[in-house]
């Protein structure tokens, strides 16, 4: 029996979801260990008593239902207990054991103060889907504190303390009783068998259930507790819950590439596991990655020769903790020459490729060292740094690079070692430090002169054998020595601007703003009937209604109001209106697809086969919340929303393409072929299963 607690305000219902915890013992043996927790358990001091209120067993003995009333001696201040007028907190626990299906479902809720505090918990023990001799355990819980004599915050802290303690001990308790059974010579408990075993073929439903167990995607993708500890590190129960819930939300709403668990965890850590804040910055980053196709950067980006010769940075082995080590000889870098020769955009692209490579190296080192490694160490040598490094365009480029990296690669810098800092460094640090997150600044270690060579210096963080030669070490470092970029490589501002557009806006996606009363509309002219209009868009902010219209009339040139609704200046170029206000729906234009409501954070893909030539208009329209149906009056939320200008703006990132019917069928065929290719292994497993089934029944 556990008590649920979370850190949050009393006006919200907080939820917890555990990862899948695995016992490498058969279900029946785990159940024998579980039953030893009752009626009391000395390993849980606050669990003082439990009484069976009701018990029921099916005729064949396969199902057993038990309802218990459990008493907990909660570790709370004596004053609070006196005010509440109770010594113990009582919970009702209902257990349903299905020996045939090998599951135990547990439901519990508080009986004491149920009108003030609602605590509910559901747990499930079940046989492992891939190994019959293992047992899985999952847990969900929620806490809702409505009121508690003005001590709501205190009750939350108490619940949190009790809950964290019980979660931590839960698996240990089962393991303790399993060991106790083993000491008594009990290492096997037979599975349940029906009283009579009639000879019959397997039912069709059993076959389908068995198939669903081996087909991928048939069950919810879940995280295993052992996997979390091995690849993600030690997390508290609430941190595990935040990771699982955010991951599940992405799977349900995000149609694009789902980031890896390590990357999701970085965003949660960057916002101290505040779900809403982490989700917001993660969605913004995913949109940015999709817009600029960052997932393919390592495959598509090739550093210009000038970067290979004069950019004084590179990867160099790893530190004592197994983190990848990046060496940057900033003092030897001609920042002005690189910016003049390449432009800000090329430098930014190069730095992003370094960060993408860092993510890849972290994954590799996690496998090599057998422990979670999610960040890297950066060694920055400032020897040679002087006032020329404070060249204004160079500092501007540096600040922009820091801003982009901070927003999209949080919690990737484990430690920053700054060596041989000169006198000018405090000036540069004053300019740069405000743009660096506080948690990141805490990871900075700064050494002046040769201080890094003494006690507490470089050897505390990097093995002596791999200290670079230019720092009086023994290891040859392949990082370029830099030098001044020849002025013959400099390019004009016009050349750099054009290349910047080509490099960094090289994206198939466009962005648009949608305002209340000012939808964004896109015109597509169709010459041949039976063409296919395809679309792919992400809702970056707000909710919209997506419509598709057809018109034989030529819309007027795009109209951009000088002032959008509410007196807001309409952004030039990303809010276009085509449908004239004098047009009548059904006469001048018609709707060809049902309206689709799209929520913030969703990714939407679709297609429409055109029936007629003419003009098609794709429209993203601000979604107005419906009024109260009983009174036709606006809801309180709507009234409050009208007072906030920001609530009337939505952002969408979209891509559209028109395909001929033959091209569309080819695209679909290619996708189908890819699906069959990925399913090949699964089909082999199915055939193997069917073969075994046939031979076992003959």
């Amino acid at each position: 029996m556990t008590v649920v607690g979370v850190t949050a305000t009393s006006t919200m219902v907080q939820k917890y979801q555990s990862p899948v915890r695995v016992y490498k013992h058969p279900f029946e043996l785990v159940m024998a260990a579980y039953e030893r927790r009752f009626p009391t358990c000395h390993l849980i001091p606050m669990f003082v008593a439990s009484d069976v209120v009701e018990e029921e067993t099916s005729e064949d003995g396969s199902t057993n239902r038990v309802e218990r009333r459990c008493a907990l001696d909660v570790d709370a201040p004596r004053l609070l207990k006196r005010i509440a007028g109770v010594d113990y907190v009582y919970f009702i626990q209902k257990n349903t054991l299905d020996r045939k299906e090998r599951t135990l479902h547990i439901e519990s809720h508080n009986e004491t103060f149920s009108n003030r505090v609602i605590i509910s918990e559901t747990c499930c023990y079940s046989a492992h889907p891939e190994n019959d001799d293992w047992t899985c355990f999952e847990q969900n819980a929620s806490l809702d504190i409505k009121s508690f004599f003005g001590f709501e915050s205190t009750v939350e802290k108490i619940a949190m303390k009790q809950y964290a303690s019980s979660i931590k001990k839960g698996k240990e308790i089962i393991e303790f009783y399993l060991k106790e059974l083993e000491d008594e010579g009990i290492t096997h408990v037979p599975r349940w068998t029906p009283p009579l075993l009639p000879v019959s073929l397997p039912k069709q439903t059993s076959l389908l259930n068995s198939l669903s167990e081996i087909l991928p995607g048939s069950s919810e993708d879940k995280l295993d507790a052992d996997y979390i500890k091995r690849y993600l590190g030690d997390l508290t129960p609430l941190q595990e819950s935040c990771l699982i819930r955010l991951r599940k939300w992405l799977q349900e709403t995000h149609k694009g590439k789902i980031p890896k668990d390590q990357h999701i965890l970085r965003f949660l850590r960057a916002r101290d596991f505040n779900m809403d804040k982490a989700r917001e910055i993660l969605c913004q980053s995913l949109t940015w990655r999709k817009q600029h196709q960052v997932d393919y950067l390592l495959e598509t980006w090739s550093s210009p020769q000038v970067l290979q010769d004069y950019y004084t940075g590179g990867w160099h082995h790893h530190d004592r903790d197994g983190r990848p080590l990046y060496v940057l000889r900033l003092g030897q870098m001609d920042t002005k020459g690189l910016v003049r020769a390449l432009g800000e955009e090329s430098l930014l692209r190069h730095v992003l490729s370094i960060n993408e490579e860092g993510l890849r190296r972290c994954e590799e080192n996690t496998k090599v060292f057998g422990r979670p490694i999610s960040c890297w160490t950066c060694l920055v040598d400032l020897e040679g740094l002087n006032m020329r490094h404070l060249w204004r365009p160079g500092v501007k480029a540096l600040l922009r690079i820091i801003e982009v990296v901070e927003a999209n690669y949080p919690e990737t810098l484990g430690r920053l070692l700054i060596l041989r800092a000169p006198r000018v460094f405090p000036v540069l640090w004053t300019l740069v430090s405000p743009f660096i997150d506080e948690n990141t600044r805490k990871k900075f270690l700064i050494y002046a002169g040769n201080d890094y060579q003494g006690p507490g210096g470089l050897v505390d963080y990097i093995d002596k054998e791999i200290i670079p030669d230019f720092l009086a070490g023994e290891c040859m470092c392949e990082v370029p020595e830099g030098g001044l970029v020849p002025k013959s490589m400099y390019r004009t501002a016009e050349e750099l601007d054009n290349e910047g557009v080509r490099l960094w806006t090289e994206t198939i996606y466009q962005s648009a703003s949608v305002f209340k009363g000012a939808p964004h509309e896109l015109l597509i002219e169709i010459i041949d009937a039976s063409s296919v209009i395809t679309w792919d868009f992400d809702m970056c902010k707000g909710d919209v209604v997506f419509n598709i219209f057809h018109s034989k009339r030529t819309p007027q040139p795009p109209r951009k109001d000088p002032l959008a609704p509410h007196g807001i200046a309409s952004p030039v170029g990303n809010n276009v209106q085509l449908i004239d206000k004098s047009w009548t729906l059904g006469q001048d234009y018609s709707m060809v697809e049902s309206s689709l409501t799209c929520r913030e954070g969703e990714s939407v893909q679709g297609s429409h086969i055109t029936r007629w030539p003419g003009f098609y208009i794709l429209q993203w329209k601000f979604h107005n919340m419906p009024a109260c149906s009983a009174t036709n009056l606006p809801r309180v939320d709507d009234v409050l929303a009208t007072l906030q200008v920001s609530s009337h703006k939505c952002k969408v990132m979209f891509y559209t393409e028109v395909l001929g019917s033959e091209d569309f069928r080819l695209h679909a065929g290619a996708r189908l072929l890819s699906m069959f290719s990925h399913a090949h292994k699964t089909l082999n497993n199915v055939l193997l299963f069917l073969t075994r089934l046939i031979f076992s029944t003959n």
Side-chain angles (χ1 to χ4, degrees):
M1 190 69 200
T2 58
V3 180
V4 181
V6 290
T7 54
T9 62
S10 59
T11 58
M12 297 175 61
V13 177
Q14 296 299 315
K15 297 181 179 180
Y16 167 80
Q17 181 176 345
S18 75
V20 179
R21 306 189 188 279
V22 178
Y23 298 96
K24 296 182 179 181
H25 299 277
F27 174 80
E28 290 72 21
L29 193 62
V30 172
M31 288 299 97
Y34 174 80
E35 285 299 323
R36 296 200 171 199
R37 297 177 53 173
F38 301 99
T40 60
C41 177
H42 70 280
L43 298 174
I44 313 177
M46 70 171 182
F47 183 33
V48 295
S50 65
D51 298 317
V52 175
V53 177
E54 184 179 350
E55 184 170 6
E56 178 185 0
T57 303
S58 62
E59 291 185 4
D60 60 1
S62 63
T63 304
N64 178 253
R65 295 182 180 88
V66 180
E67 180 176 332
R68 294 184 176 92
R69 188 169 185 262
C70 305
L72 305 181
D73 185 8
V74 179
D75 183 15
R78 186 169 183 82
L79 175 61
L80 183 59
K81 287 187 175 182
R82 291 186 62 183
I83 293 174
V86 298
D87 291 324
Y88 301 125
V89 176
Y90 289 92
F91 275 74
I92 300 299
Q93 184 192 70
K94 298 180 180 179
N95 291 3
T96 303
L97 173 63
D98 190 330
R99 297 184 177 91
K100 181 179 179 181
E101 298 296 333
R102 306 180 78 200
T103 61
L104 172 65
H105 291 280
I106 306 169
E107 297 179 3
S108 61
H109 64 272
N110 60 305
E111 180 184 71
T112 308
F113 302 121
S114 58
N115 60 331
R116 296 179 178 273
V117 181
I118 300 176
I119 302 174
S120 61
E121 184 180 51
T122 59
C123 307
C124 179
Y125 289 88
S126 60
H128 195 288
E130 297 176 5
N131 189 328
D132 278 351
D133 291 329
W134 291 358
T135 304
C136 296
F137 174 75
E138 295 178 73
Q139 181 177 15
N140 293 276
S142 66
L143 168 68
D144 182 11
I145 301 179
K146 300 181 180 298
S147 64
F148 203 85
F149 311 108
F151 289 89
E152 290 81 11
S153 178
T154 302
V155 171
E156 267 186 339
K157 292 178 181 178
I158 293 171
M160 172 63 193
K161 179 181 177 182
Q162 300 286 354
Y163 178 62
S165 174
S166 61
I167 285 293
K168 186 177 180 180
K169 286 187 176 181
K171 187 172 182 179
E172 297 175 4
I173 293 170
I174 293 295
E175 296 285 0
F176 172 83
Y177 286 121
L178 285 169
K179 181 64 169 58
E180 188 176 80
L181 288 169
E182 182 181 354
D183 292 342
E184 296 174 7
I186 303 174
T187 58
H188 173 73
V189 176
R191 295 187 186 183
W192 177 87
T193 55
L196 297 175
L197 292 175
V199 179
S200 62
L201 291 175
K203 295 182 180 179
Q204 184 179 5
T205 54
S206 299
L207 171 60
L208 292 175
N209 289 339
S210 300
L211 283 172
S212 67
E213 289 180 3
I214 62 173
L215 286 172
S218 59
S219 60
E220 184 182 355
D221 189 15
K222 298 174 181 178
L223 289 181
D224 180 274
D226 293 336
Y227 159 81
I228 290 177
K229 187 172 183 179
R230 168 65 176 82
Y231 292 98
L232 305 180
D234 291 323
L235 303 178
T236 68
L238 293 182
Q239 289 172 346
E240 290 177 341
S241 177
C242 287
L243 172 62
I244 293 168
R245 288 161 56 202
L246 182 53
R247 185 176 183 263
K248 182 179 180 182
W249 181 85
L250 286 170
Q251 291 170 337
E252 293 174 348
T253 61
H254 188 72
K255 301 296 177 60
K257 183 178 180 180
I258 302 296
K260 296 182 179 179
D261 299 323
Q262 294 89 336
H263 204 51
I264 299 175
L265 188 58
R266 291 185 180 102
F267 284 86
L268 284 166
R269 283 176 170 149
R271 290 299 179 266
D272 294 325
F273 287 87
N274 183 303
M275 274 280 295
D276 293 334
K277 292 181 180 180
R279 179 167 54 196
E280 180 181 357
I281 61 172
L282 178 56
C283 286
Q284 291 172 355
S285 180
L286 291 177
T287 299
W288 170 81
R289 293 183 70 89
K290 183 175 182 180
Q291 184 174 10
H292 300 296
Q293 302 181 48
V294 179
D295 288 330
Y296 309 102
L297 191 59
L298 291 179
E299 304 168 11
T300 58
W301 167 251
S302 178
S303 298
Q305 190 62 43
V306 65
L307 275 175
Q308 298 178 32
D309 295 338
Y310 295 98
Y311 188 87
T312 55
W315 294 100
H316 180 76
H317 301 283
H318 55 79
D319 68 5
R320 287 184 178 272
D321 296 322
R323 297 166 174 163
L325 176 63
Y326 190 83
V327 175
L328 180 64
R329 303 183 68 178
L330 186 58
Q332 304 299 315
M333 186 183 297
D334 181 10
T335 53
K336 179 178 180 179
L338 289 173
V339 173
R340 291 290 299 272
L342 292 168
E344 185 179 327
E345 299 296 337
S346 273
L347 281 176
L348 177 58
R349 180 70 66 98
H350 183 64
V351 172
L352 295 181
S353 71
I354 293 171
N355 280 270
E356 289 296 306
E357 174 66 16
L359 296 179
R360 188 188 67 80
R361 286 174 178 260
C362 284
E363 291 182 24
E364 288 185 354
N365 286 16
T366 295
K367 298 175 183 177
V368 170
F369 292 99
R371 60 178 182 273
I373 296 173
S374 61
C375 54
W376 50 84
T377 292
C378 186
L379 186 156
V380 180
D381 179 23
L382 296 184
E383 186 182 52
L385 191 75
N386 54 45
M387 294 304 294
R388 68 184 173 86
H389 288 91
L390 300 181
W391 179 59
R392 185 179 179 85
V395 173
K396 174 177 171 286
L398 176 61
L399 294 180
R400 185 189 173 205
I401 288 171
I402 290 175
E403 183 180 3
V404 173
V405 170
E406 281 283 308
N408 298 284
Y409 300 91
E411 298 296 316
T412 53
L413 183 64
R415 184 180 294 116
L416 180 64
L417 303 170
I418 299 177
L419 310 183
R420 301 196 281 196
R423 293 181 179 180
V424 74
F425 177 74
V427 179
L428 182 62
W429 180 248
T430 302
L431 292 172
V432 171
S433 60
F435 295 88
I436 302 175
D437 180 75
E438 182 180 356
N439 290 332
T440 303
R441 290 202 301 268
K442 294 177 182 177
K443 303 170 184 176
F444 285 35
L445 296 172
I446 303 173
Y447 299 89
N450 293 325
D451 292 349
Y452 70 92
Q453 296 178 348
L458 207 54
V459 291
D460 284 9
Y461 306 101
I462 301 173
D463 288 333
K464 182 179 179 181
E465 294 77 15
I466 64 170
I467 293 179
D469 52 345
F470 64 86
L471 293 174
E474 304 173 359
C475 187
M476 291 295 296
C477 184
E478 297 181 359
V479 173
E481 294 184 1
L484 295 177
V485 177
K487 291 187 177 180
S488 60
M489 293 185 173
Y490 287 13
R491 278 179 283 181
T492 65
E494 290 76 13
E495 290 175 327
L496 292 176
D497 287 342
N498 291 336
E499 180 151 335
V501 170
R502 181 180 65 81
L503 279 172
W504 202 236
T505 61
E506 189 179 288
T507 171
I508 60 176
Y509 291 89
Q510 303 177 55
S511 297
S513 296
V514 179
F515 299 90
K516 190 172 185 179
H520 177 72
E521 295 166 343
L522 178 70
L523 180 65
I524 298 177
E525 184 176 4
I526 297 296
I527 306 300
D528 299 321
S530 299
S531 296
V532 181
I533 302 173
T534 66
W535 57 83
D536 176 1
F537 62 87
D538 292 283
M539 289 309 306
C540 307
K541 178 182 178 182
D543 304 340
V544 301
V545 177
F546 178 62
N547 294 308
I548 307 177
F549 302 105
H550 173 261
S551 174
K552 294 180 181 179
R553 295 178 56 179
T554 305
Q556 296 298 315
R559 173 167 52 85
K560 301 168 188 172
D561 295 334
L563 286 179
H566 313 289
I568 306 172
S570 180
V572 177
N574 68 349
N575 181 265
V576 177
Q577 298 162 54
L578 300 167
I579 299 176
D580 194 277
K581 292 182 179 179
S582 64
W583 283 16
T584 302
L585 183 62
Q587 297 180 9
D588 301 294
Y589 67 111
S590 58
M591 184 180 291
V592 296
E593 291 277 358
S594 299
S595 296
L596 177 65
T597 301
C598 309
R599 304 295 182 182
E600 180 175 324
E602 289 185 346
S603 295
V604 181
Q605 294 86 30
S607 60
H608 172 75
I609 301 176
T610 62
R611 296 178 60 186
W612 315 280
F615 299 95
Y616 287 81
I617 299 173
L618 275 57
Q619 181 192 73
W620 290 268
K621 183 178 180 181
F622 187 89
H623 176 56
N624 291 302
M625 300 299 291
C628 178
S629 58
T631 63
N632 270 341
L633 294 175
R635 303 184 307 176
V636 174
D637 291 344
D638 300 330
V639 175
L640 293 175
T642 60
L643 301 177
Q644 300 178 0
V645 172
S646 62
S647 67
H648 296 297
K649 182 179 179 181
C650 303
K651 287 186 179 180
V652 60
M653 187 181 75
F654 65 90
Y655 163 70
T656 62
E657 185 179 5
V658 178
L659 300 172
S661 57
E662 291 296 327
D663 293 333
F664 183 72
R665 282 195 286 270
L666 286 174
H667 277 62
R671 287 195 297 269
L672 188 61
L673 182 60
S674 176
M675 289 170 58
F676 277 119
S677 175
H678 288 297
H680 179 69
K681 183 177 180 181
T682 300
L683 291 173
N684 285 340
N685 290 337
V686 174
L687 290 173
L688 180 61
F689 168 80
L690 291 174
T691 302
R692 290 176 176 173
L693 180 65
I694 292 171
F695 279 100
S696 65
T697 56
N698 285 342

